[in-house]
Amino acid sequence: MSASSPLPSPLFKRIPPGLWTALVWVVAAVQPIVQYVLVPHQHAYSLSYPQDGLDALTARALLALALLLVLTGSALLRRRAEVAYGLVLVGTVVLSVAWRQDEALPLQFLGVDVALCHVAATRPRRTAITATAGALGVLTGYLALRWITGRDPGTASEPFIALTVVIAWLVGNSIHQARTHTAELHARVAAQAVTAERLRIAREMHDTVAHSIGIIALQAGAAARVVETQPARAREAMITVEHVGRDTLAGLRRMLGALRQSDQGQADQGHAQAPLRPAVGLADLEQLAATTTAAGVRVEVRWQGERRPLPTDVDLAALRIVQEAVTNVVRHATVDHCQVKVEYREDELLVEVVDRGKGCGTNTKNANAKNTNANTKNTDTGFGLVGMRERVALLDGHFTAGPRPGGGFRVAARLPVPVPTAAGTEPEVKAGAR
């Protein structure tokens, strides 16, 4: 339930892709300068990196320009990947010009490959293919330049560099496809969880309606038997029938309006029917606290405001939210105490569950998102937060859940409560109750 300390990510994930690109490119640029220019070994030389290659002021200026382009591109790689990739590619070409080379420098294209892999992994396929074509076009340009000038290419390096470019695209494209598939699976599982929760709520509403109809039938039968001998009792019974009927009708309208768009056919095929349970409410909260305390986690219940009867759907939702939150405390918070606050306000009910545990789950991520799809990372607690948020949304309430600044976790829900009006009219919810 509480925010946990996640395991550290691998190093290659913690370092930004732009930093990887800059590191690879700079190392590849410095290594030949050190090896062939600054401290050349005896008889050590390179045609691509001649010892006097950077003696000219123009060459040094081009080297500085290439470094500036690559570092700028690396800094922009996460925000503007296409532009950043172009800067890295241009910087690599400028570096070859600084060395007065008419062929691509193999080591420098490793930085281009890293940037291309990031583009292919994070951008649409068309963008990635365009970036790959750009790199292959540059390599083709080197070959064409030597062919036009009539210089003997010898063993050309461009085909081998082109192979690394294609491999970089393949790796990035595979990462992109894996991420897309994972996101689709998470969205599908989250949608199924929401649908299952709606069906469970609907079944509980069935129990509530059945209970209300039973009360109406009993009270109506009693009124019919005593209407001539005890008119006052008959009138009292009929008033009870009216109140129960209006309460149930208001709850049904709110619930069915939210459930109308649920895909009943698909849900019926994918989820088995759960056993029906009797309607409960906050009247059973003390029993829930006692049961949880007996299980090893002491639950302190605080009541605020004037306690009064609530609509059945609000009463049931409040208890279910507390029940799920306390269950998460028992399972994940690694703490022996939590607090439950139930506050009756004029036009709403506030339910809050807080603890000071450390937790071990991952279901707290993005828990404060409002009016969004289910959290796709709630994979270890049965989508508890998703179910609570769905219950509150069905009642047009407000739900928050997340780590507390001082440690621990907090779950809070505000449920609108219809304001009683004059007899003969239906209850109304004040505008702006949320």
Side-chain angles (χ1 to χ4, degrees):
M1 167 103 181
S2 295
S4 59
S5 299
L7 295 176
S9 302
L11 181 62
F12 72 92
K13 289 186 177 181
R14 284 182 288 169
I15 297 181
L19 183 56
W20 275 119
T21 302
L23 286 175
V24 172
W25 195 94
V26 170
V27 169
V30 171
Q31 183 269 332
I33 296 176
V34 174
Q35 181 176 358
Y36 300 112
V37 178
L38 298 181
V39 286
H41 300 288
Q42 187 176 8
H43 306 301
Y45 67 94
S46 172
L47 295 177
S48 298
Y49 308 98
Q51 186 173 1
D52 60 348
L54 298 178
D55 288 349
L57 181 61
T58 303
R60 297 184 180 184
L62 289 175
L63 176 62
L65 176 61
L67 181 62
L68 177 62
L69 289 173
V70 171
L71 292 181
T72 303
S74 300
L76 296 176
L77 190 58
R78 176 167 289 180
R79 291 174 294 173
R80 303 183 63 183
E82 298 87 345
V83 176
Y85 173 76
L87 292 176
V88 174
L89 185 58
V90 172
T92 303
V93 174
V94 172
L95 182 65
S96 67
V97 177
W99 285 102
R100 302 194 302 274
Q101 299 298 313
D102 58 359
E103 66 176 353
L105 303 177
L107 290 178
Q108 299 308 135
F109 256 82
L110 292 178
V112 177
D113 293 341
V114 174
L116 176 61
C117 184
H118 174 73
V119 172
T122 59
R123 294 298 184 269
R125 176 173 293 183
R126 178 178 298 181
T127 302
I129 292 178
T130 302
T132 305
L136 296 178
V138 169
L139 296 174
T140 304
Y142 279 110
L143 289 174
L145 177 63
R146 291 201 300 275
W147 180 77
I148 293 174
T149 57
R151 296 190 57 178
D152 182 14
T155 303
S157 61
E158 285 79 9
F160 302 99
I161 300 176
L163 180 60
T164 66
V165 170
V166 173
I167 292 175
W169 176 80
L170 289 175
V171 172
N173 186 63
S174 299
I175 296 174
H176 180 78
Q177 290 180 339
R179 288 176 176 175
T180 302
H181 181 64
T182 301
E184 291 176 353
L185 288 179
H186 285 168
R188 188 180 306 169
V189 172
Q192 291 176 350
V194 171
T195 302
E197 183 64 23
R198 288 189 173 192
L199 290 176
R200 188 165 69 93
I201 295 171
R203 288 194 293 269
E204 290 180 347
M205 196 63 193
H206 168 272
D207 295 340
T208 301
V209 172
H211 177 71
S212 301
I213 295 299
I215 293 177
I216 291 174
L218 290 175
Q219 294 292 340
R225 287 193 296 271
V226 301
V227 65
E228 295 182 355
T229 58
Q230 302 180 40
R233 290 187 57 187
R235 183 175 180 276
E236 181 181 351
M238 295 310 298
I239 290 176
T240 302
V241 169
E242 179 186 10
H243 289 335
V244 173
R246 290 188 182 278
D247 185 17
T248 304
L249 181 60
L252 278 174
R253 285 179 176 175
R254 289 193 296 270
M255 188 71 66
L256 294 179
L259 294 175
R260 186 171 297 168
Q261 298 179 352
S262 178
D263 188 357
Q264 298 289 346
Q266 179 180 358
D268 289 340
Q269 295 176 3
H271 301 281
Q273 288 288 336
L276 298 180
R277 290 170 289 184
V280 292
L282 290 176
D284 293 330
L285 181 55
E286 298 293 347
Q287 180 180 355
L288 171 65
T291 303
T292 308
T293 300
V297 177
R298 184 168 61 89
V299 179
E300 178 184 347
V301 181
R302 297 171 52 193
W303 301 88
Q304 296 184 3
E306 182 182 355
R307 298 179 63 175
R308 62 184 185 274
L310 298 170
T312 306
D313 51 348
V314 176
D315 196 20
L316 178 61
L319 181 71
R320 292 303 187 206
I321 291 170
V322 174
Q323 184 180 35
E324 184 65 34
V326 171
T327 300
N328 284 347
V329 172
V330 175
R331 292 179 178 177
H332 308 289
T334 62
V335 70
D336 60 356
H337 174 259
C338 70
Q339 292 182 344
V340 177
K341 183 176 76 172
V342 181
E343 181 178 352
Y344 289 80
R345 298 178 178 176
E346 180 182 358
D347 55 357
E348 66 180 8
L349 178 73
L350 173 63
V351 176
E352 182 183 71
V353 180
V354 297
D355 69 77
R356 295 187 176 274
K358 297 181 179 180
C360 58
T362 61
N363 64 321
T364 63
K365 296 181 181 179
N366 299 330
N368 286 320
K370 302 173 185 177
N371 300 323
T372 60
N373 288 334
N375 182 357
T376 60
K377 294 190 177 183
N378 291 356
T379 59
D380 63 346
T381 60
F383 293 85
L385 295 180
V386 173
M388 288 186 277
R389 183 178 294 108
E390 186 68 15
R391 285 184 178 276
V392 175
L394 290 176
L395 296 175
D396 198 29
H398 180 76
F399 177 81
T400 57
R404 302 171 62 197
F409 200 84
R410 175 179 179 268
V411 173
R414 287 191 291 146
L415 305 175
V417 177
V419 179
T421 59
T425 61
E426 295 186 2
E428 298 180 353
V429 178
K430 283 188 176 182
R434 296 180 63 180

